[in-house]
Amino acid sequence: MELSISKDTLHFKKPARTSRGAYSLHEMYLITLKDELSGRQGIGELAPLPDLSCDRAVYPDIDTVRLLAEKALPSALKGEWPDDMLQYPALRFALESAIAEVRGNNPKESISTPINGLVWMSSFEDMLEQVKAKMAIGFRCIKLKIGAIDWQKEIDLIRYVRSCFPKEELELRVDANGAFAPEWAMDRLTELAQYDIHSIEQPIRQGQWDEMARLCKESPLAIALDEEMIGINNPEEKVKLLDTIHPQYIVLKPTMHGGLSGTREWIALARERGINSWITSALESNIGLRSIALLAHSVYGPDITFPQGLGTGQLFTDNIEYGVHIEGANLVVDKK
């Protein structure tokens, strides 16, 4: 198997803001594998996020990425991942994506995945315009990033949106990215619950297991773990986290949560405990989105009705063409 590494940078149409800060660039390494016998090749995207991914700092340059990829590749080709490499989920995602594509993991017909419309943190007026634009093109599930502007303005926006669109017409999800403090998080969850919110992702910062477990048990609003699972890479730790906190949902980002196989493992362990899940992107380009969409169809079946979080490709001015596009409220992966 021939391996090559390149580097690329995409540019956001406008800064993508979360409670952790804003992203204006998407820097990534592209790992290309080519089967010398068949001539088939596959590309995987390695793009950990600053301030979020547990392995962001370990890929300073192409030479380092190449050394790590060469070390992991023999085992990865056999469907294995050595214990000493579990700490590199972004590399795992990239390699597994490239291997799957080399081996023909491509749909014979185009596949369509329902997605949520993502509304980024901004001013009240801008967020409202984002909601209206998403609704106009057919989205019936919208996810609002909250926690970075004035709380009352965020509640006013949610109240207004819900007054225009009842829950029968629009599913509302919110993502706090850990913005709430444990001592007043329950008050905000109670306030949000008045507006028929489907769920909230990561209300408090990760690492506070007892507090998160209490919220999940007592909250009137369903809670989904996201950042909480970053850096939890072996099965024993995953079981301990799920059994301790027992959330209503987990939200999987393959770049952060163990690649394709690690994501499958999380979902299987959650199902055993009656915990639901969905898959989302970590601001990947169309290369990464294609791989994640194929994973979602593999895990949840071909007739997915629950919206996944795969609409981030449209955030860039210069995304890579890779057989992925948005049609209304669906991400479509073209056949190859």
Side-chain angles (χ1 to χ4, degrees), residues 17 121-124 127 146-154 157:
R17 294 179 58 197
M121 292 174 174
S122 185
S123 66
F124 176 94
M127 292 179 75
I146 62 173
I149 65 173
D150 179 76
W151 172 248
Q152 192 55 54
K153 289 185 176 180
E154 291 178 337
L157 173 67

Side-chain angles (χ1 to χ4, degrees), residues 167-291:
K167 65 178 181 180
E168 293 77 16
E169 296 180 16
L170 176 65
E171 180 178 284
L172 274 177
R173 303 173 184 173
V174 296
D175 184 359
N177 287 121
F180 300 166
E183 57 268 26
W184 42 259
M186 187 62 74
D187 291 338
R188 295 204 169 172
L189 296 178
T190 301
E191 191 170 3
L192 285 167
Q194 300 176 54
Y195 303 105
D196 297 312
I197 304 297
H198 171 271
S199 58
I200 181 170
E201 292 180 38
Q202 202 67 42
I204 63 175
R205 282 186 179 262
Q206 67 266 40
Q208 305 175 86
W209 287 19
D210 290 341
E211 291 292 343
M212 187 68 86
R214 178 183 64 83
L215 291 176
C216 289
K217 183 178 180 180
E218 300 175 3
S219 171
L221 180 62
I223 292 176
L225 300 188
D226 181 353
E227 290 96 330
E228 196 71 65
M229 300 178 292
I230 295 173
I232 308 296
N233 295 312
N234 68 56
E236 293 78 14
E237 290 178 332
K238 293 177 181 180
V239 166
K240 184 178 180 180
L241 183 148
L242 294 174
D243 285 346
T244 300
I245 299 177
H246 205 90
Q248 287 75 30
Y249 295 93
I250 58 173
V251 183
L252 285 310
K253 293 181 173 70
T255 284
M256 298 182 182
H257 297 135
L260 303 181
S261 56
T263 297
R264 289 178 184 276
E265 184 174 72
W266 272 115
I267 292 172
L269 291 171
R271 282 174 171 169
E272 291 173 2
R273 291 158 176 76
I275 299 168
N276 292 314
S277 65
W278 70 90
I279 297 174
T280 186
S281 67
L283 303 180
E284 283 89 359
S285 74
N286 283 335
I287 292 173
L289 284 177
R290 182 182 182 89
S291 178

Side-chain angles (χ1 to χ4, degrees), residues 15-308:
R17 294 179 58 197
T18 75
S19 61
R20 301 290 184 89
Y23 300 113
S24 58
L25 300 175
H26 178 72
E27 297 180 342
M28 59 185 176
Y29 297 100
L30 298 178
I31 297 179
T32 301
L33 297 178
K34 184 174 182 180
D35 188 310
E36 297 169 355
L37 294 177
S38 68
R40 290 197 300 263
Q41 76 171 29
I43 304 177
E45 178 175 349
L46 194 166
L49 291 179
D51 303 320
L52 279 176
S53 298
C54 66
D55 53 343
R56 167 68 180 184
V58 300
Y59 312 112
D61 51 49
I62 285 179
D63 289 338
T64 302
V65 174
R66 181 177 291 105
L67 287 173
L68 288 171
E70 289 173 346
K71 178 181 178 181
L73 184 58
S75 295
L77 287 169
K78 294 185 289 186
E80 301 171 356
W81 203 260
D83 288 345
D84 63 340
M85 298 297 288
L86 290 177
Q87 61 187 309
Y88 307 123
L91 176 66
R92 188 173 178 179
F93 171 62
L95 275 178
E96 291 178 336
S97 297
I99 291 169
E101 190 171 15
V102 167
R103 291 178 173 170
N105 183 30
N106 293 302
K108 295 179 181 179
E109 300 293 338
S110 63
I111 63 170
S112 181
T113 306
I115 59 175
N116 61 248
L118 183 57
V119 173
W120 287 93
M121 292 174 174
S122 185
S123 66
F124 176 94
E125 293 77 15
D126 183 65
M127 292 179 75
L128 181 57
E129 288 305 311
Q130 290 183 64
V131 172
K132 290 179 177 178
K134 298 293 184 186
M135 293 295 292
I137 59 178
F139 282 94
R140 293 299 177 264
C141 175
I142 287 179
K143 173 178 164 180
L144 296 166
K145 291 278 189 177
I146 62 173
I149 65 173
D150 179 76
W151 172 248
Q152 192 55 54
K153 289 185 176 180
E154 291 178 337
I155 284 294
D156 288 345
L157 173 67
I158 291 169
R159 182 187 300 113
Y160 177 79
V161 171
R162 184 52 84 205
S163 70
C164 296
F165 305 102
K167 65 178 181 180
E168 293 77 16
E169 296 180 16
L170 176 65
E171 180 178 284
L172 274 177
R173 303 173 184 173
V174 296
D175 184 359
N177 287 121
F180 300 166
E183 57 268 26
W184 42 259
M186 187 62 74
D187 291 338
R188 295 204 169 172
L189 296 178
T190 301
E191 191 170 3
L192 285 167
Q194 300 176 54
Y195 303 105
D196 297 312
I197 304 297
H198 171 271
S199 58
I200 181 170
E201 292 180 38
Q202 202 67 42
I204 63 175
R205 282 186 179 262
Q206 67 266 40
Q208 305 175 86
W209 287 19
D210 290 341
E211 291 292 343
M212 187 68 86
R214 178 183 64 83
L215 291 176
C216 289
K217 183 178 180 180
E218 300 175 3
S219 171
L221 180 62
I223 292 176
L225 300 188
D226 181 353
E227 290 96 330
E228 196 71 65
M229 300 178 292
I230 295 173
I232 308 296
N233 295 312
N234 68 56
E236 293 78 14
E237 290 178 332
K238 293 177 181 180
V239 166
K240 184 178 180 180
L241 183 148
L242 294 174
D243 285 346
T244 300
I245 299 177
H246 205 90
Q248 287 75 30
Y249 295 93
I250 58 173
V251 183
L252 285 310
K253 293 181 173 70
T255 284
M256 298 182 182
H257 297 135
L260 303 181
S261 56
T263 297
R264 289 178 184 276
E265 184 174 72
W266 272 115
I267 292 172
L269 291 171
R271 282 174 171 169
E272 291 173 2
R273 291 158 176 76
I275 299 168
N276 292 314
S277 65
W278 70 90
I279 297 174
T280 186
S281 67
L283 303 180
E284 283 89 359
S285 74
N286 283 335
I287 292 173
L289 284 177
R290 182 182 182 89
S291 178
I292 298 171
L294 293 174
L295 172 65
H297 274 258
S298 174
V299 170
Y300 300 122
D303 301 316
I304 300 176
T305 58
F306 194 78
Q308 308 294 298

